[in-house]
Amino acid sequence: MSATSITVPTSRQGGLGPDGPDLPGRPSRRRRPRDESDEGGRINWWLTVLLMVLALTIVVPLYFTVVTALKTPDQLGGSGFGLPTEVRLQNFADAWTLTNFPRTALNSALITVGAVVLTLLTNSMVAYAIARNMHRRLFKVLFYYFVSALFVPFPILMLPVAKQTAALGLDNQLGLVLLYVVYGLSFNVFIFVAYIHSIPRELEEAAVVDGASTWTVFWRIIFPLLAPMNATVGILTCLWAWNDFLLPLVIVSDPAGATLPLVQYVFQSQFSANYTVAFASYLMAMAPLLLVYVFAQRWVISGVTRGAIK
Amino acid sequence: MATTTSTAARRAAPSRRSTARRPGGERLQPAFLWMVLPAFVLFFVFHTVPVLQGIFYSFTDSPGYGEWNWVGLSNYVALLSDARIGSAYLFTLQFAFVTTILVNALALGLAVGLNGKIKFKNTLRGVYFIPNILAILVVGYVFNYLFSSSIPAIARALGAEGRLSTSILADPQLAWIGIVILAVWQATAFNIIIYLAGLQTVPGELYEAASLDGAGRWRQFRSITFPLIAGFFTINMVLSLKSFLQVFDHIVAMTNGGPGTATESVGLVIYRGGFQGGEYGYQIANAVIFMIVIIVFAIVQLRVLQRNEVSPS
Amino acid sequence: MAALTALTMLTAAGLAGCSSSSQTELLFFQFKPEAVAFFEQAAADFEAENPDIRVVVDNVPDPETALRTRLVKGDVPDVLTLNANGTFGELASAGIFADFADAPVMQTVTPSYAEVIADLGASAPGAVNGVPFAANASGVLYNEEIFAANGVEVPQTWDELIAAAQTFEAAGITPFYGMLADAWTAQSPLAPLTAQTAPDDFFAARFAGDTTFEQGWEEAALKLAELYEYTQDDPGAFGYQEGTRAFAEGESAMLLLGSYAVPQIRTFEPEFTISSFALPATDDPAETTLVSGVDVVFTIGADTPHREEAMRFIEFLMEPDRVAAYAEEQVAVPCVEGIENDDPALAGVQSYIDEGRIVGFTDHQFIPAVPLTQLLQEYLATGDTREFLVDLDTAWDQVAQRRTWGLGAVQG
């Protein structure tokens, strides 16, 4: 029994026991997040301004990265916050060729997409099986088994896993995708399980009465209900796979499989001679994720806030 | 409302009772086994087996490849007298505690703000999430430049003398602060998101009732908001501490452990000594100890924080 | 059963036929980021001349970790470029690399550089596990114009060096630009100082436990600290980037760096004439030696099935024109006899190279696990000589004590 159920004896909560989902007829999303639309009352302008000012701490380093990437080397120096007097797009062209951008970015993108899709399809399923059988010792142990891996530092298994994947012929992009999916289990099962607990069982039971198999129940009923959680897990997996350095370094043997962070690191020392090109390359590494983010932002934020660890 | 939270296990207890009541709840559907079996096998093969192999190597003098000899506990014994390891642990703990507290305090405050009645709510939330999507290494290089070139230049232009006019990353006493700033900048975003999720579960009626009773903002936060999202607070604290204890990328990008060994974290020492320096067996022994430290901290944290969760102020 | 056997044989024949008709693929592990373009071009040229071979260039990030991972996988690359440092010595001693002692290509190599390689460590007595390609010359880089304008001659002794520094300081010019934010830069002057002031057999004695850094390195440590008294304010706040830039812009008369820094300096000021001299650590000019390490060494995995092809590739890379082209591009010292690099930045040290008055880098004798770089950085910030030397001894003894193999192993 959780603390909140003790301290919230409100009217809206009235019908809900500690195990809300077990009550018949509850919709799965019991309380819709308070969007701007359903918000009454006056806007707090002081708070708005304060948050906007604080947001500058985030915007300023990004602005700095952009203007530096556009400058010529002799415009560096000083605080570096001034606008470029002469824009040098050649920085991007240089970074593009040096990092072999089309190939490495495509590599990173394929690995990222593979990891995200497979993670969403498999990890939610594992979590579902665990969540619905948590009362069985086997599944409970399995849950803790997966989650405990969160606390294992990567260096312990780094070289053995490199050896193992190579022995199995998986020292390539495919192996990398597999590892992201498998290692992701620790965190993903943790948050999926918590969320699945909040989905009422009545829907499933009704389907079972109608003759649906456990598989059908999962794919037809549970998986769609997991949408907000899938958004969270998908984004986290995407960020991890795209930005990761160590796993690709130790797993991928074929140079043709190099990802963006690897190539960027190779040129780091060369770039150190040339901050402007370096910053252009940083920007190019950030750009794809930033673009995806700009397009998916509303969905991401609402999905994540709605879904995260219910 | 039982949406919280802290661990699924805590929720499992009531649901067991209710499941047992249900007809058909007793028999395990084979499909459930098939759902977890492949994952278990893969996890065992690609995680557990390598971990066990790693632990095994901590009792050898292996350089990471080729032949090795069994050395028993001597790696562990040598760790105890290694001053560099000791100071790395001190630095790491100090860094992780400070950063965890700062990140969570900031994230909680910002989340409450972003959940308030503000204009441009979605845009602001979007902006605050941006740092989380950037790679720490890349952001670290940018911050490195800001600290070592821009900030001193601005300080000099403003006529500041002494400390501010030079890079804090070059000062053994202050360099860690630069790393904390980078870590807080980058990690607060993720915690804001989780706190926002928590705040969604707080019914608005509560506040209305509270303000009718004349409770001020702070009082409302103390007696309504915080207790209701205490579970989220626990999760954030545990996950933050665990990841800040393993700090690595931040340091590579900012100071590389310097000046001297002033900002060497345990993760950095393991990587440098074990993979670059050739003392694989020795540093893996260090990593095993480190794993135990991380787990102990997580357990202590859960114990302490969950006790507070059950009995909010 | 017969059918099965026939099928197996057919498959085997098919596979064999397949592999003999296709190209041999060489994996070329390339560690040097500045030379990516050069080696990619060289590989392409080689493929054009040798259509039966395909060279896959792997420009690795973090070469030490990447190579160790490959060793763990049992996947040693066919051909490698490496920096000839302590790690190279460790791996060579472990028998990872082929022996080139009797290879024809070694006949073309400058003997003193072959010696530098062999001294780092070898798979067997008398073995040489790498072919040196390009070396650097590490002494002092200086600005000829500033020297001329202040009437300063190239220093031949330690006292002259300090006198020159004082002259520049008095004239308001930074004598040496300090770049201690990049800790490794302090190792550059440390190498000639220890090479010239410590006893010749210092490391052998240190490994045997017959001496300490406190005894053998005190003079070098004091002189190093003295050099850093003549830097700009707060040398710890500036790095390699700022230092090379300041030097290019004429803010500093000298830099305590080697030839490897020249390409970087020229990115700021292409037309600027950079000159160099060997750092004199004593007052006897005859004692002065030039520190020169092998920057790029080629080697072959000991067990590669493509040894002949790999050797052909190395012979191709060691052709005089290619060695000269690389040396010119990277301002390096060619390791092939009879080839000289007439870059003005090397003119001042050429006589040392010709006479073979060179020594390797001190830190290459170091067990990599000893944090020399970090201790140095700390030392130059605090200036506590005794603490530095004692810490160095302690770290060395501790590492040696837990070491049962490789450089510094407890013998017995």
Side-chain angles (χ1 to χ4, degrees), chain A residues 237-257:
Chain A
T237 309
C238 176
L239 298 176
W240 178 32
W242 180 267
N243 290 331
D244 190 30
F245 173 73
L246 270 184
L247 262 186
L249 175 72
V250 299
I251 298 301
V252 180
S253 297
D254 183 358

Side-chain angles (χ1 to χ4, degrees), chain A residues 3-4 8 13 18 22 31 33 39 44 51 57 79 144-145 164 183 201 205 293 297 304-305 309-310, chain B residues 1-3 9 18 22 26 32 45-46 48 117 121-122 126 128 150 185 193 197 200-201 228 232 242 309:
Chain A
T4 47
V8 190
Q13 298 256 302
D22 285 327
R31 189 166 40 244
E39 237 175 275
N44 186 338
L51 285 170
T57 57
S79 72
Y144 284 112
Y145 172 62
Q164 202 150 352
Y183 290 173
R201 284 168 183 246
E205 278 158 10
Y293 179 67
Q297 184 218 330
V304 173
T305 51
I309 313 179
K310 279 240 167 186
Chain B
M1 163 110 169
T3 42
S18 46
R22 247 191 303 271
E26 294 90 14
F32 283 130
V45 170
F46 288 110
T48 309
K117 292 183 171 57
K121 182 179 273 184
N122 282 336
Y128 278 102
S150 295
W185 190 85
I193 293 294
Q200 309 301 308
T201 69
L228 286 185
F232 293 84
K242 162 227 139 200
E309 240 175 80

Side-chain angles (χ1 to χ4, degrees), chain B:
Chain B
M1 163 110 169
T3 42
T4 63
T5 97
S6 43
T7 66
R10 282 155 45 82
R11 297 186 36 83
S15 70
R16 172 192 342 206
R17 258 173 272 120
S18 46
T19 318
R21 284 197 306 271
R22 247 191 303 271
E26 294 90 14
R27 231 185 66 245
L28 172 64
Q29 296 287 328
F32 283 130
L33 278 182
W34 287 112
M35 284 180 179
V36 294
L37 190 68
F40 169 74
V41 170
L42 287 174
F43 197 84
F44 186 79
V45 170
F46 288 110
H47 195 275
T48 309
V49 171
V51 168
L52 294 176
Q53 282 175 312
I55 294 174
F56 172 83
Y57 280 120
S58 74
F59 300 106
T60 71
D61 64 353
S62 167
Y65 58 88
E67 291 166 14
W68 45 265
N69 295 300
W70 184 259
V71 297
L73 286 173
S74 69
N75 284 332
Y76 289 90
V77 175
L79 278 172
L80 295 177
S81 61
D82 192 332
R84 191 179 178 198
I85 304 268
S87 65
Y89 272 89
L90 278 182
F91 166 78
T92 307
L93 292 177
Q94 176 193 13
F95 167 82
F97 284 135
V98 172
T99 314
T100 301
I101 290 168
L102 279 178
V103 162
N104 280 283
L106 260 176
L108 195 52
L110 287 169
V112 170
L114 288 169
N115 199 46
K117 292 183 171 57
I118 52 167
K119 196 77 183 154
F120 316 120
K121 182 179 273 184
N122 282 336
T123 313
L124 276 171
R125 285 180 177 186
V127 169
Y128 278 102
F129 191 61
I130 288 178
N132 192 50
I133 66 172
L134 307 176
I136 296 168
L137 266 181
V138 169
V139 179
Y141 291 130
V142 173
F143 269 62
N144 186 343
Y145 190 84
L146 282 174
F147 278 119
S148 49
S149 304
S150 295
I151 293 175
I154 293 171
R156 279 192 295 268
L158 295 175
E161 281 301 312
R163 195 58 276 155
L164 269 178
S165 62
T166 58
S167 165
I168 63 164
L169 298 181
D171 186 327
Q173 307 301 318
L174 300 178
W176 70 281
I177 294 175
I179 301 166
V180 168
I181 292 174
L182 166 68
V184 170
W185 190 85
Q186 209 269 342
T188 302
F190 180 70
N191 293 35
I192 290 179
I193 293 294
I194 298 200
Y195 284 126
L196 274 176
L199 292 168
Q200 309 301 308
T201 69
V202 181
E205 293 85 342
L206 280 184
Y207 294 111
E208 285 154 29
S211 47
L212 283 180
D213 292 348
R217 282 269 159 72
W218 175 244
R219 179 100 182 88
Q220 287 183 20
F221 177 80
R222 284 268 298 155
S223 23
I224 301 175
T225 313
F226 192 74
L228 286 185
I229 62 165
F232 293 84
F233 180 71
T234 305
I235 290 180
N236 269 343
M237 291 294 281
V238 172
L239 292 180
S240 305
L241 187 68
K242 162 227 139 200
S243 47
F244 291 134
L245 281 173
Q246 300 189 42
V247 59
F248 176 76
D249 288 357
H250 304 78
I251 295 177
V252 169
M254 292 285 272
T255 61
N256 228 334
T261 53
T263 58
E264 275 189 341
S265 70
V266 179
L268 190 77
V269 169
I270 293 173
Y271 189 80
R272 277 213 184 139
F275 304 121
Q276 297 177 332
E279 288 199 300
Y280 177 68
Y282 178 68
Q283 289 299 348
I284 290 305
N286 186 9
V288 171
I289 300 274
F290 190 39
M291 173 171 71
I292 296 169
V293 169
I294 295 174
I295 292 174
V296 167
F297 272 111
I299 292 173
V300 170
Q301 253 183 322
L302 279 174
R303 285 272 157 85
V304 172
L305 291 172
Q306 283 187 340
R307 198 163 51 220
N308 292 339
E309 240 175 80
V310 182
S311 53
S313 58

Side-chain angles (χ1 to χ4, degrees), chain A residues 65-139:
Chain A
T65 313
V66 174
V67 292
T68 309
L70 290 171
K71 286 178 179 173
T72 55
D74 57 300
Q75 294 178 56
L76 289 179
S79 72
F81 283 100
L83 282 170
T85 49
E86 171 199 355
V87 170
R88 184 170 189 272
L89 290 175
Q90 186 62 29
N91 291 336
F92 290 93
D94 289 351
W96 180 277
T97 9
L98 283 174
T99 57
N100 201 347
F101 192 78
R103 199 190 72 192
T104 46
L106 182 67
N107 256 332
S108 283
L110 287 178
I111 290 167
T112 305
V113 169
V116 169
V117 170
L118 271 176
T119 297
L120 291 181
L121 292 181
T122 61
N123 288 8
S124 56
M125 188 169 74
V126 176
Y128 173 62
I130 291 178
R132 286 295 182 247
N133 293 282
M134 203 62 160
H135 55 289
R136 295 174 206 276
R137 174 165 294 162
L138 176 71
F139 286 86

